[in-house]
Amino acid sequence: QVQLVESGGGSVQAGGSLRVSCQASSEFAVRASCMAWFRQAPGKAREGIASIDADFVTEYAESVKGRFTISKDSAKNLLYLQMTSLKSEDTARYYCATRRGMTCNFALTWYHYWGQGTQVTVSS
């Protein structure tokens, strides 16, 4: 079982930056598994926005490409999402997730472990 705890959410003005973090209970999950960030806005489906696999290969949704950066620190069991040039449409609850596997995909059903999420609110 892997526990994931997100932190770092908050309120920011449009155009600003924010970094959210995810503390994992398992070093193996961060080092050798796929980890990803998802988000869910009110009334919308949860969507995958960034992933990083065991070889540090990253993927981004088109909506965040060029603005968000996913990274991980295996020594600290931490996953990060650096968000810049934030827009009001980035307002959502952000979740980290991991799966029992090395490769990544944005399909929700691929992921076995989820955090509780952290709220990000962008005001225009």
Side-chain angles (χ1 to χ4, degrees), residues 4-81:
L4 302 170
V5 179
E6 301 92 338
S7 62
S11 297
V12 63
Q13 289 193 325
S17 299
L18 200 63
R19 187 179 78 165
V20 292
S21 303
C22 174
Q23 181 71 62
S25 62
S26 164
E27 178 267 344
F28 181 83
V30 178
R31 177 177 54 82
S33 303
C34 168
M35 297 198 77
W37 286 99
F38 289 76
R39 68 184 181 186
Q40 187 167 19
K44 295 189 176 181
R46 191 171 298 190
E47 61 172 347
I49 56 171
S51 68
I52 184 166
D53 71 11
D55 294 323
F56 291 82
V57 176
T58 58
E59 294 285 346
Y60 297 93
E62 284 299 321
S63 58
V64 305
K65 196 173 290 185
R67 300 188 298 122
F68 290 12
T69 303
I70 187 171
S71 62
K72 62 181 180 178
D73 185 336
S74 300
K76 297 180 179 179
N77 294 357
L78 281 166
L79 178 73
Y80 301 105
L81 183 69

Side-chain angles (χ1 to χ4, degrees), residues 38-49 63 87-95 108:
F38 289 76
R39 68 184 181 186
Q40 187 167 19
K44 295 189 176 181
R46 191 171 298 190
E47 61 172 347
I49 56 171
S63 58
K87 307 174 182 179
S88 56
E89 50 263 45
D90 294 318
T91 294
R93 192 163 186 84
Y94 285 70
Y95 299 87
L108 272 69

